Amino acid sequence: MTTPTTITHLRSTLLRVPWRGAPPAAGVVPPGPREIYVLEIETQGGLTGMSYLHPLRGGLQTIDACMKELVAPHVLGRDATEIEGIWQTLYKNNFWLGRMGVTVFAQSAVDMALWDIVGKRAGLPLFRLWGAARAKVPAYGSGCFRGLGRDGMIARAKEFTAMGLTAIKMQVAHIRPWREDVLNVKAMREAMGGGIEIMIDVNMGWDADTAIQAGHRIDEYDPYWLEEPVVAEDFAGYRRIAAALRTRVVGGESHFTRNDLRPFLEHPGVPILQPDPMRGGYSELRKIAAAAEPWGITVAPHLFHEQMVHLLASIPNASYLEYMDWNDDLWIAPILPDTNGTMTPPERPGHGLAFRPEVLKDHRIGGQSMTA
């Protein structure tokens, strides 16, 4: 039996959008234009939920093929309010082929679009639908990319602090030796003074021994955290580094679902987890937060502040929101930092995001319509 919330239609839009100005000088992200996957889910009653993925390293056509073959058949005809049931169906049916990877990316797009529908149906923003815990979330400015060099990273950090942000993130590893990275951290601390928190992102660029050797020197400059010092699978390395350093060691953005993060919960030496919404969706990130909270672990999601502001405003163990301004130009109403270093979730129903129509029209490179 169909109802007004029966899912009737999935529609994808593949975007290739030029950067505003120069591409990020991150050293690990390809320099080409932004590639963004947009999913819209329509219901019998006319409600439409939207989500997007920004995979950073291509794969839009692969995600779209996965959506058509492995995901849409399990979604079409279901009730949009069955979010948990749909999540479990997709995960179990695609477990053999995609316990991690592209199927979870596609599943995450479905999950976030469904929550958008439920929020719109209830007439509530997601953070209120989930039981608002706070009205504002602390944020840090992310974008002091390693490729900018020492002076460029410091200049970028000053742009963030001029906006009122009291925390910034810089990068190390990959394109320079660790001793030079240490000098860059020293220069950043001297430029920022003692009132600004400095996060440091390694992007999995070191092994455990290098992270400990460099980390002992970096400890002297009182950073807030050292992020992803080793490859995601090296849980033993994480524990060694965390035990050796004064600085917090954090990670999680490259892990898929709470199952992949389980070693961090079984051995809670990492005090802040950074799950990525593309690796499980809203539903999974809320479960990760709930699983982490009894162990005193907080959550600082990876990127996508315009999606994640609702999550952090609704959980008790929220840490920082990562403000990366590289997609602000895509939205009709971008979510920007307040002058006091926080961000405020919009009061619009659902997640409250809408692409500017010209972005969807002028930069479309593909997509498809999927119906029962």
Side-chain angles (χ1 to χ4, degrees):
M1 183 181 71
T2 61
T3 69
T5 48
T6 297
I7 298 167
T8 59
H9 193 179
L10 274 65
R11 182 171 55 251
S12 64
T13 302
L14 281 56
L15 301 176
R16 185 171 291 139
V17 189
W19 295 97
R20 293 181 300 166
V28 294
V29 177
R34 290 170 283 181
E35 293 194 343
I36 297 168
Y37 186 88
V38 182
L39 180 69
E40 294 172 288
I41 299 179
E42 297 180 4
T43 65
Q44 183 75 33
L47 282 174
T48 298
M50 183 274 289
S51 66
Y52 78 95
L53 307 173
H54 187 177
L56 302 181
R57 285 182 172 269
L60 297 189
Q61 299 288 350
T62 303
I63 293 170
D64 208 32
C66 176
M67 188 69 71
K68 180 179 181 179
E69 181 182 5
L70 299 176
V71 174
H74 300 293
V75 175
L76 290 162
R78 297 286 293 269
D79 193 294
T81 63
E82 299 174 30
I83 298 177
E84 181 63 24
I86 291 171
W87 199 100
Q88 293 297 335
T89 296
L90 291 173
Y91 192 70
K92 291 174 181 177
N93 276 277
N94 291 318
F95 190 88
W96 183 260
L97 184 64
R99 184 173 64 86
M100 294 185 272
V102 67
T103 61
V104 176
F105 270 63
Q107 174 176 340
S108 301
V110 169
D111 182 84
M112 292 186 283
L114 292 179
W115 277 114
D116 192 34
I117 288 173
V118 170
K120 288 173 178 175
R121 184 170 185 260
L124 290 171
L126 290 180
F127 82 102
R128 295 199 183 281
L129 183 73
W130 293 331
R134 60 187 56 79
K136 293 181 179 295
V137 180
Y140 67 89
S142 183
C144 304
F145 297 121
R146 56 178 65 82
L148 295 172
R150 184 177 303 165
D151 293 341
M153 286 191 286
I154 291 171
R156 189 75 176 102
K158 289 180 177 179
E159 291 176 5
F160 286 128
T161 58
M163 298 170 66
L165 293 167
T166 58
I168 62 93
K169 186 161 79 178
M170 64 181 294
Q171 295 179 324
V172 297
H174 290 285
I175 64 174
R176 55 178 56 88
W178 68 262
R179 287 182 174 84
E180 185 179 346
D181 288 321
V182 172
L183 294 176
N184 290 344
V185 174
K186 178 178 184 289
M188 182 68 78
R189 173 53 72 201
E190 291 171 349
M192 294 294 101
I196 300 296
E197 299 290 2
I198 298 174
M199 288 74 166
I200 300 171
D201 196 348
V202 187
N203 292 122
M204 302 186 291
W206 290 332
D207 57 30
D209 288 338
T210 302
I212 292 169
Q213 190 175 18
H216 280 311
R217 277 76 171 177
I218 289 172
D219 272 344
E220 301 175 22
Y221 307 111
D222 192 27
Y224 192 80
W225 72 43
L226 187 70
E227 178 178 336
E228 277 202 312
V230 292
V231 295
E233 298 87 353
D234 188 6
F235 294 104
Y238 266 99
R239 290 193 290 273
R240 285 178 56 207
I241 300 162
L245 303 183
R246 297 197 307 267
T247 300
R248 299 171 185 85
V249 175
V250 306
E253 73 180 56
S254 300
H255 296 79
F256 285 82
T257 77
R258 64 193 183 279
N259 299 313
D260 202 19
L261 289 166
R262 182 174 174 177
F264 287 140
L265 302 173
E266 292 177 328
H267 305 280
V270 172
I272 302 173
L273 291 178
Q274 301 172 296
D276 184 304
M278 299 187 295
R279 292 169 167 85
Y282 286 133
S283 294
E284 193 63 13
L285 263 68
R286 295 181 70 229
K287 291 176 184 176
I288 291 167
E293 196 245 343
W295 301 102
I297 298 172
T298 58
V299 175
H302 176 232
L303 290 177
F304 314 120
H305 66 274
E306 59 277 344
Q307 297 184 88
M308 293 294 93
V309 66
H310 287 282
L311 177 84
L312 290 194
S314 69
I315 61 174
N317 54 329
S319 179
Y320 276 93
L321 192 65
E322 182 171 14
Y323 173 60
M324 185 82 80
D325 66 356
W326 58 13
N327 288 333
D328 287 349
D329 61 316
L330 303 180
W331 313 113
I332 291 174
I335 299 171
L336 304 173
D338 306 320
T339 56
N340 61 356
T342 63
M343 302 192 82
T344 303
E347 293 286 352
R348 299 181 291 275
H351 53 54
L353 293 171
F355 281 93
R356 290 166 45 217
E358 61 269 29
V359 172
L360 297 175
K361 177 185 175 185
D362 297 344
H363 302 293
R364 186 180 188 274
I365 60 167
Q368 62 183 320
S369 178
M370 294 157 273
T371 57

